[in-house]
């Protein structure tokens, strides 16, 4: 009897052990490889693109010496343009500046310049020419001053604005002979002979863009400083045929400037009073007027530049 009980308990214990083993969950074996997830790269914000400053220099014959004073003041404050565009007298100063001459060098060149160095009389009465000056002297003067540097090799990207005489559209010279481009840009009709380049004939850029603000934009400028040296016709009495022609240009330019100057971020207008376009003797006063006008606009230039850089 005792043997039977022992045998029963033995069987019960065996059953409990078997049941316990069956109830234990089997370990989960995964066939997936260990995790190899890479860390997520955080995109870094791109640094802001520098603001490109454009300097648009307008036409105005001898009044263009004021551009030099403006350049001197801007340079003294570390405001150096990335793009320079010039029309007529603005193309003369602009080319010399873009070639690598700073403001003080430009002033020295201006004070040493002899009017005869850029004047080569033609005799329109006995020839087929249509201008008092041929313009070759100006072309040679510019090329010599920039050491025959072509437009595409300028230290600062530069454009000279002329007018296509056939189509009446603006032409921006950015490659080729610098002196020839400046000559075309400065070819005031009846004062300088038109300039033939290839199959096209060009005259003064002031007919279509007296202060080339829009062209500075087209060349990539974000911030345009325009220098307007045009005169008010009522304060510039004309006493010669040349002065009448230059005054006529000033009158024509007023209407165009009203629209184009609105697109400039800052407009600098030197107070040149009654200085005439043919008054090369007043160059020193013109440079001083440019300095004074630029100084008066410095606060506005800094404020607007800072605002644009923050945007």
């Amino acid at each position: 009897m005792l043997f039977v009980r022992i045998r029963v308990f033995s069987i019960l214990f065996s059953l409990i052990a078997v049941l316990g083993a069956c109830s234990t969950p089997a370990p989960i074996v995964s066939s997936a490889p260990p995790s190899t997830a890479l860390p997520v790269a955080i995109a870094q914000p791109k640094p802001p693109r520098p603001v490109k400053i454009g300097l648009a220099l307008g036409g105005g014959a001898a009044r263009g010496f004021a551009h030099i004073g403006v350049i001197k003041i801007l340079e003294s404050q570390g405001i150096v343009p990335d793009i320079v565009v010039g029309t007529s007298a603005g193309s003369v100063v602009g080319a010399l500046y873009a070639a690598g001459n700073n403001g003080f060098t430009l002033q020295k060149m201006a004070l040493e310049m002899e009017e005869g160095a850029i004047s080569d009389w033609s005799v329109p009465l006995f020839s087929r020419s249509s201008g008092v000056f041929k313009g070759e002297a100006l072309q040679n003067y510019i090329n010599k001053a920039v050491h025959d540097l072509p437009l595409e090799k300028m230290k600062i990207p530069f454009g000279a604005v002329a007018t296509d005489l056939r189509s009446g559209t603006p032409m921006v010279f950015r490659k080729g002979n610098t002196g020839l481009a400046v000559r075309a840009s400065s070819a005031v009709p009846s004062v300088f002979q038109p300039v033939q380049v290839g199959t096209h004939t060009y005259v003064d850029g002031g007919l279509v863009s007296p202060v080339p603000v829009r062209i500075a934009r087209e060349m990539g400028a974000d911030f345009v400083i325009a220098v307007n040296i045009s005169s008010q016709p009522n304060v510039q009495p004309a006493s010669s045929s040349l002065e009448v022609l230059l005054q006529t240009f000033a009158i024509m330019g007023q209407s165009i400037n009203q629209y184009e100057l609105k697109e400039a971020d800052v407009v600098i207008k030197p107070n040149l009073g009654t200085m005439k376009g043919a008054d090369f003797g007043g160059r020193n006063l013109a440079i001083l007027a440019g300095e004074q006008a630029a100084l008066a606009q410095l606060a506005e230039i800094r404020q607007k530049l800072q605002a644009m850089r923050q945007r």
Side-chain angles (χ1 to χ4, degrees):
M1 188 70 178
L2 179 61
F3 174 78
V4 173
R5 290 179 178 176
I6 292 173
R7 184 63 179 168
V8 170
F9 280 121
S10 177
I11 293 171
L12 287 174
F13 281 126
S14 297
L15 288 172
I16 291 171
V18 170
L19 290 173
C22 293
S23 63
T24 302
I28 299 173
V29 180
S30 173
S31 61
S35 174
T36 57
L38 296 175
V40 178
I42 300 174
Q44 298 295 325
K46 292 182 179 180
R49 179 174 63 82
V51 173
K52 284 190 176 182
I53 300 173
L55 183 62
L57 304 177
R63 295 164 68 92
F65 288 109
H67 291 316
I68 297 172
V70 172
I71 289 170
K72 284 177 62 182
I73 295 303
L74 294 179
E75 281 187 337
S76 71
Q77 301 300 310
I79 302 171
V80 179
D82 302 286
I83 295 165
V84 178
V85 193
T87 292
S88 198
S91 75
V92 175
V93 176
L96 298 176
Y97 181 43
N101 298 293
N102 63 26
F104 285 97
T105 302
L106 291 175
Q107 179 170 332
K108 183 174 184 293
M109 295 169 70
L111 298 180
E112 292 176 351
M113 178 191 291
E114 295 182 4
E115 188 175 351
I118 60 172
S119 303
D120 48 358
W121 293 86
S122 65
V123 190
L125 185 62
F126 303 104
S127 69
R128 297 179 62 188
S129 64
S130 56
V132 178
F133 301 108
K134 290 184 287 186
E136 292 174 359
L138 174 62
Q139 177 178 333
N140 294 335
Y141 173 85
I142 293 295
N143 281 333
K144 183 179 179 180
V146 303
H147 306 290
D148 292 315
L149 199 66
L151 290 166
E152 64 270 22
K153 295 293 181 66
M154 289 287 177
K155 304 294 177 61
I156 304 173
F158 170 68
V161 184
T163 303
D164 188 312
L165 189 57
R166 182 181 301 172
S167 66
T169 57
M171 170 63 184
V172 185
F173 289 95
R174 298 191 61 187
K175 293 183 179 180
N177 188 303
T178 300
L180 184 62
V182 171
R183 176 184 172 187
S185 179
S186 307
V188 179
S190 297
V191 179
F192 285 94
Q193 295 176 6
V195 178
Q196 190 78 21
V197 181
T199 59
H200 293 263
T201 304
Y202 298 99
V203 293
D204 194 288
L207 287 169
V208 289
S209 186
V211 185
V213 175
R214 294 178 184 173
I215 293 170
R217 297 275 187 206
E218 291 170 4
M219 287 178 61
D222 305 305
F223 187 92
V224 179
I225 301 171
V227 187
N228 179 17
I229 57 169
S230 64
S231 61
Q232 295 293 335
N234 59 344
V235 298
Q236 191 182 40
S239 57
S240 69
S241 298
L242 177 59
E243 289 171 0
V244 168
L245 284 168
L246 294 175
Q247 185 169 334
T248 302
F249 255 61
I251 294 170
M252 292 170 56
Q254 297 300 317
S255 299
I256 302 174
N257 279 341
Q258 287 179 3
Y259 296 99
E260 189 146 13
L261 290 176
K262 290 179 180 179
E263 298 188 20
D265 294 280
V266 176
V267 178
I268 298 175
K269 185 169 177 56
N271 182 11
L272 296 167
T274 58
M275 180 181 180
K276 299 176 181 179
D279 184 9
F280 278 79
R283 67 192 79 181
N284 211 5
L285 291 175
I287 293 171
L288 179 60
E291 292 177 3
Q292 293 171 338
L295 279 170
Q297 297 289 94
L298 275 179
E300 182 181 0
I301 292 172
R302 289 198 192 97
Q303 179 184 2
K304 290 185 174 180
L305 265 176
Q306 181 65 20
M308 180 169 285
R309 284 168 177 156
Q310 289 176 347
R311 291 200 300 270

